Amino acid sequence: MNEIDLLKSRLKDLANKSYKQNIYTYSAFLTSVELVCLDELRDEMSFVDYETFGGYELAERQLVGFGSERALGYTGDWPIKIIKVEPLIDKFADDLSHRDFLGAIMNLGIERNVFGDILVKDGKRAYIFAMESIADFIMDNLTKIKHTNVKASIVEPGTDSMEDLKPTLVDMDVIVASPRFDAIIGGATKVSRSEALNLFKAKKVTLNGRLCERNSMTLKDGDIFSIRGYGKFKFCGAGNETRKGRVYVKLKKYV
């Protein structure tokens, strides 16, 4: 049995457990590619309600939660904790990237699926979305990133730190050959059409939180797409054509 078959088997086991025992069950964090497996099981698991969530709006890595208030009569709690990591002394802190935070967490010896997205702010601090079962371990052991000593704390709902999780968007205007998705990807990343096609083939493009391989499709206003290695973008519509027949496209980039 390959990894995809094992994942599908685990998801079906969780669905059956929720249905038979009348309880909420949750997966570990799934990648956009793994979430495709969930879509492929939709018909087989139609007997149970489920939804996905990664700790904040538009999370790329998400848990699947089986069960619903409609079916079970009570509201479930997502087993996700938000960990804020910041320098002990800001003055002497290195500039820290997503890769720096990810590497430091992985060096703790934990599996990648027990924590989800990492949101880096100002190159100094980050918010880590982790399974409740591993949050204390991360907080106790994540003490240094590169040469920077750091401290970790749980972000409680309703605190000022929750406002920091709201995304910042920067306007982008690009000119593309056509309003096709691959052309927009090329404009957003400044790569050639063949390189944009390779991003689709390499399964590096997601649309509204799901893996997308339809490079010729047309986007709708408000669609959110991510390109691994390049960032996340919001499509805000296509405008007029240039005299050479190219198209003006408006995007917003999440930073």
Side-chain angles (χ1 to χ4, degrees):
M1 186 177 290
N2 61 34
E3 290 184 9
I4 296 299
D5 290 335
L6 284 171
L7 173 60
K8 288 182 176 181
S9 178
R10 287 198 298 272
L11 292 175
K12 286 189 284 189
D13 286 344
L14 288 170
N16 284 316
K17 182 177 180 180
S18 174
Y19 180 75
K20 292 178 180 179
Q21 299 185 19
N22 292 314
I23 59 172
Y24 285 92
T25 59
Y26 301 94
S27 72
F29 282 96
L30 303 179
T31 67
S32 57
V33 174
E34 290 171 330
L35 286 166
V36 173
C37 296
L38 180 68
D39 291 335
E40 293 174 350
L41 293 172
R42 187 174 301 276
D43 291 340
E44 291 184 59
M45 300 192 305
S46 60
F47 59 88
V48 64
D49 295 335
Y50 63 87
E51 60 181 330
T52 62
F53 184 56
Y56 72 107
E57 184 182 2
L58 301 176
E60 292 187 15
R61 291 175 180 263
Q62 300 183 42
L63 278 64
V64 184
F66 294 96
S68 67
E69 185 175 7
R70 179 193 67 82
L72 302 179
Y74 66 100
T75 303
D77 294 320
W78 291 94
I80 299 173
K81 292 292 185 181
I82 306 172
I83 304 171
K84 181 179 181 179
V85 181
E86 56 190 333
L88 279 176
I89 304 176
D90 197 70
K91 179 180 178 180
F92 301 112
D94 296 315
D95 287 329
L96 302 174
S97 67
H98 182 278
R99 179 175 294 182
D100 295 325
F101 283 98
L102 176 60
I105 300 167
M106 294 301 294
N107 284 338
L108 300 180
I110 61 179
E111 298 291 332
R112 182 62 182 90
N113 64 0
V114 298
F115 65 98
D117 289 5
I118 303 170
L119 299 184
V120 180
K121 299 287 184 175
D122 305 327
K124 299 291 184 184
R125 66 192 192 281
Y127 294 90
I128 303 163
F129 296 83
M131 297 290 291
E132 191 174 48
S133 58
I134 200 68
D136 285 344
F137 178 83
I138 293 175
M139 289 178 45
D140 291 342
N141 292 278
L142 187 61
T143 57
K144 178 173 286 191
I145 300 176
K146 291 178 68 174
H147 304 294
T148 301
N149 293 318
V150 298
K151 60 181 178 180
S153 58
I154 294 292
V155 175
E156 299 295 343
T159 61
D160 291 340
S161 291
M162 292 298 292
E163 290 295 313
D164 209 17
L165 298 178
K166 293 182 177 179
T168 301
L169 290 87
V170 176
D171 290 329
M172 286 183 65
D173 293 313
V174 298
I175 301 175
V176 297
S178 78
R180 286 168 47 121
F181 196 7
D182 51 7
I184 293 171
I185 291 288
T189 60
K190 296 181 171 57
V191 302
S192 68
R193 184 184 176 191
S194 61
E195 290 174 305
L197 287 172
N198 286 334
L199 291 171
F200 282 92
K201 292 176 182 177
K203 302 183 185 300
K204 292 186 177 181
V205 179
T206 61
L207 177 63
N208 298 324
R210 293 290 185 270
L211 179 71
C212 181
E213 298 180 88
R214 295 173 54 205
N215 61 285
S216 62
M217 69 178 295
T218 301
L219 298 181
K220 307 185 301 295
D221 285 6
D223 277 344
I224 308 292
F225 63 94
S226 295
I227 311 132
R228 196 187 315 157
Y230 293 94
K232 183 184 295 184
F233 304 83
K234 182 177 183 179
F235 176 71
C236 300
N240 299 324
E241 292 188 2
T242 68
R243 283 183 293 180
K244 294 185 177 181
R246 294 171 68 81
V247 181
Y248 291 98
V249 169
K250 289 188 174 295
L251 303 173
K252 290 183 181 291
K253 183 174 183 179
Y254 289 76
V255 296

